Amino acid sequence: MKKRWLIFCFIPILSVHAQLTLPGAIVSGPMLGQVELRTASVWLQVSADVNSITLIYWKKGFPGTSWQKSYDGVLGKEFNPVRMDIGGLDVNSYYEYQFILNHEKTSASGSFHTKDLWQWRKPAPDFSFLTGSCAYFNELVYDRPGKPYGGDSTIFESMARDSAAFTLWLGDNWYTREVDLLSSWGLWYRASRDRAQPVLRNLLKSMPQYAIWDDHDYGPDNSGSSYGLKDVSREIFTKYWCNPFYGEDQKGIYSQVSYSDVDLFLTDDRYFRSADEYEDSVNGKPNKEKHFFGQKQLHWLEDALVQSLATFKIIVVGSQTLNPMSRDEGFYNYSYEYHELMGFLNANKIKGILFLTGDRHHSEIVKTERTGNYDLYDITVSPFTSGVAKVKGAEINNPARVPGSLVEKRNYAKISVQGKKNERIFLVQFDGEDGKILYNWSITEQQLTR
């Protein structure tokens, strides 16, 4: 470690009550955020009576030599989500950590592993990550009457037992109710309450967590840029997730995550979005005033795609993107921006493009064929625990769907990237609530080149 760091003996900094856990101090967490080569983020939510937070961390196997960082933000509020960022770590190393609240030892502890420095030294590492969308946690007094909409939440325990590199949440990560939507307090309450579900604890601390949003964790059903509390929703998102960044100029929540030879472009399909009901064409031409990503975000995405050297470039979206038979919410139904992005991908010969989406309350893979270019695929993963929505009408026999890929059960996906250089394979595995395999699909990097 760098000599500029101060080294602390672990035991003396604790009070005489070091073996006690401060009752009620931990509302939720800890949760791992972004973990990179030499940095890591750890998240925790504490109660209003906590007035000091210290994070102690040490290299695994060396608990006698540790480092500490104190939280210098505001505490004592009704909702206190806390993000702690640490640096100066060693690459490819295991660390352990523990939170000290009001100078007393707590049960909020865990471990993480920094990334390996493989670039220019060795082949891109094989890895896997977990993903899915639509997590509904019942609160009967505020839910709609009748059968509870949320299902068995033990799916998150199944995910926690996996040794994946990270989890990527694809939106509708909690569901605001009518009692939440018209006040800032309601939006804060929903995020705080649902994050505190005990069934999430093991997953949140077992691996880094990244996220985008969709309508239900942004605002009302099908909402977009006109939602009056959208900046409150954005602030809450930035406080309850630890993404690398959140949009530009304090607008939107789009971001980018890289792991091994994969880049994930985490887009925002709500903050800039026009109402679905806008006419998609005017005088026979795509309506340029009907926005999905918005021009600023779309230009960011295009520029980031051009700069990416990744084998697989995953565009992550809350709503489906390629499905020609989807309901109004899909990107396909915002034809001006849809054709702009498709034209950009063709003109710039971008290799390795895949789409990863949520929202639909069933999982499937949709294919779009392109003249003179490789086929594009949209991998939809949904739902975690919310109600299952079976496809209806003409969509039952959707010709764009990859045969056999439709899963109409609660599920998540395990996505793996493996293989030799220039022979990388992208594997998708839909798993049920108990972790058992429901469907497998794969594609090679050669299939995603012109």
Side-chain angles (χ1 to χ4, degrees):
M1 307 300 289
K2 295 293 186 181
K3 291 183 179 179
R4 63 181 175 84
W5 285 42
L6 296 177
I7 298 178
F8 297 83
C9 183
F10 187 65
I11 298 300
I13 66 168
L14 304 180
S15 74
V16 293
H17 302 293
Q19 300 307 311
L20 301 179
T21 296
L22 192 63
I26 304 167
V27 177
S28 58
M31 177 183 78
L32 276 179
Q34 184 182 21
V35 177
E36 287 296 332
L37 290 160
R38 302 199 64 211
T39 60
S41 298
V42 187
W43 180 97
L44 187 73
Q45 183 174 200
V46 299
S47 61
D49 58 356
V50 172
N51 54 49
S52 71
I53 301 176
T54 301
L55 178 65
I56 308 296
Y57 54 100
W58 60 94
K59 212 166 185 179
K60 188 174 181 180
F62 301 92
T65 302
S66 60
W67 298 265
Q68 71 173 4
K69 182 170 185 177
S70 296
Y71 181 66
D72 58 4
V74 177
L75 294 170
K77 297 184 292 183
E78 184 172 4
F79 306 107
N80 295 279
V82 170
R83 172 175 174 168
M84 302 285 283
D85 296 316
I86 53 179
L89 306 174
D90 289 339
V91 300
N92 193 24
S93 297
Y94 291 89
Y95 287 84
E96 296 177 321
Y97 64 87
Q98 186 165 41
F99 279 96
I100 309 301
L101 306 183
N102 292 351
H103 309 291
E104 295 190 4
K105 185 177 181 180
T106 74
S107 59
S109 60
S111 61
F112 59 85
H113 181 213
T114 54
K115 291 181 178 178
D116 192 11
L117 183 59
W118 62 272
Q119 293 89 339
W120 306 104
R121 294 161 175 82
K122 60 184 76 172
D126 296 345
F127 75 100
S128 64
F129 68 93
L130 308 181
T131 190
S133 64
C134 305
Y136 192 100
F137 298 100
N138 297 322
E139 191 177 15
L140 296 182
V141 65
Y142 301 127
D143 292 344
R144 296 177 184 179
K147 182 181 178 181
Y149 191 59
D152 183 359
S153 296
T154 57
I155 190 171
F156 299 114
E157 295 284 9
S158 298
M159 295 169 66
R161 289 190 290 270
D162 201 288
S163 57
F166 58 88
T167 300
L168 174 59
W169 298 68
L170 298 175
D172 294 338
N173 306 315
W174 52 78
Y175 277 67
T176 51
R177 319 291 206 267
E178 289 80 0
V179 296
D180 306 325
L181 292 169
L182 299 180
S183 70
S184 298
W185 183 91
L187 296 176
W188 280 97
Y189 167 80
R190 181 56 50 197
S192 175
R193 185 260 179 190
D194 284 11
R195 176 60 61 81
Q197 298 305 300
V199 74
L200 291 176
R201 288 175 185 164
N202 290 332
L203 174 62
L204 294 179
K205 67 185 292 184
S206 66
M207 63 189 77
Q209 310 288 317
Y210 301 102
I212 59 171
W213 61 18
D214 197 34
D215 49 353
H216 293 292
D217 49 344
Y218 166 79
D221 188 26
N222 300 339
S223 53
S225 63
S226 64
Y227 181 45
L229 295 176
K230 66 180 184 179
D231 287 318
V232 176
S233 287
R234 181 184 180 276
E235 181 185 6
I236 293 168
F237 184 93
T238 66
K239 298 299 184 183
Y240 279 83
W241 298 108
C242 298
N243 286 355
F245 58 92
Y246 310 92
E248 300 168 276
D249 303 324
Q250 297 186 318
K251 305 293 183 183
I253 53 97
Y254 52 92
S255 189
Q256 181 177 339
V257 171
S258 300
Y259 200 98
S260 186
D261 57 340
V262 174
D263 283 343
L264 299 111
F265 304 91
L266 313 186
T267 68
D268 182 340
D269 69 338
R270 292 295 162 183
Y271 192 93
F272 307 98
R273 183 183 187 131
S274 302
D276 295 334
E277 292 75 15
Y278 265 93
E279 293 294 331
D280 195 47
S281 63
V282 177
N283 298 323
K285 296 181 179 180
N287 182 2
K288 64 189 301 183
E289 300 303 321
K290 186 178 182 181
H291 300 292
F292 186 89
F293 293 124
Q295 286 299 297
K296 186 176 183 65
Q297 179 182 191
L298 189 56
H299 291 162
W300 165 82
L301 175 61
E302 292 170 346
D303 189 64
L305 289 169
V306 169
Q307 292 192 58
S308 174
L309 300 177
T311 303
F312 297 106
K313 304 171 184 66
I314 316 302
I315 302 175
V316 184
V317 190
S319 302
Q320 280 191 312
T321 56
L322 305 180
N323 190 351
M325 304 185 74
S326 69
R327 297 170 298 205
D328 292 338
E329 286 193 274
F331 182 46
Y332 186 88
N333 298 303
Y334 287 68
S335 60
Y336 184 84
E337 290 190 6
Y338 176 85
H339 290 301
E340 178 179 338
L341 181 58
M342 295 300 115
F344 175 86
L345 296 177
N346 275 324
N348 289 274
K349 302 178 181 179
I350 308 293
K351 300 178 181 179
I353 295 289
L354 290 164
F355 291 87
L356 181 58
T357 62
D359 176 57
R360 290 302 307 275
H361 296 241
H362 60 258
S363 293
E364 63 181 342
I365 302 174
V366 169
K367 180 176 75 171
T368 290
E369 297 179 355
R370 298 187 293 172
T371 302
N373 212 333
Y374 64 88
D375 297 337
L376 292 176
Y377 293 88
D378 183 347
I379 303 155
T380 299
V381 192
S382 176
F384 280 139
T385 62
S386 64
V388 174
K390 295 190 175 183
V391 296
K392 300 178 181 179
E395 198 173 355
I396 293 174
N397 298 310
N398 188 351
R401 182 185 302 119
V402 171
S405 67
L406 180 63
V407 173
E408 296 175 302
K409 297 180 179 180
R410 293 183 174 102
N411 71 103
Y412 65 96
K414 179 174 183 177
I415 294 178
S416 302
V417 179
Q418 60 189 47
K420 300 177 181 179
K421 184 178 181 179
N422 301 321
E423 297 179 9
R424 301 288 274 170
I425 303 173
F426 190 91
L427 302 99
V428 178
Q429 176 180 300
F430 294 147
D431 289 343
E433 294 170 298
D434 56 2
K436 293 183 178 178
I437 300 173
L438 302 175
Y439 175 76
N440 275 313
W441 177 83
S442 64
I443 192 165
T444 67
E445 66 172 294
Q446 288 83 6
Q447 290 175 276
L448 298 178
T449 59
R450 194 176 182 89

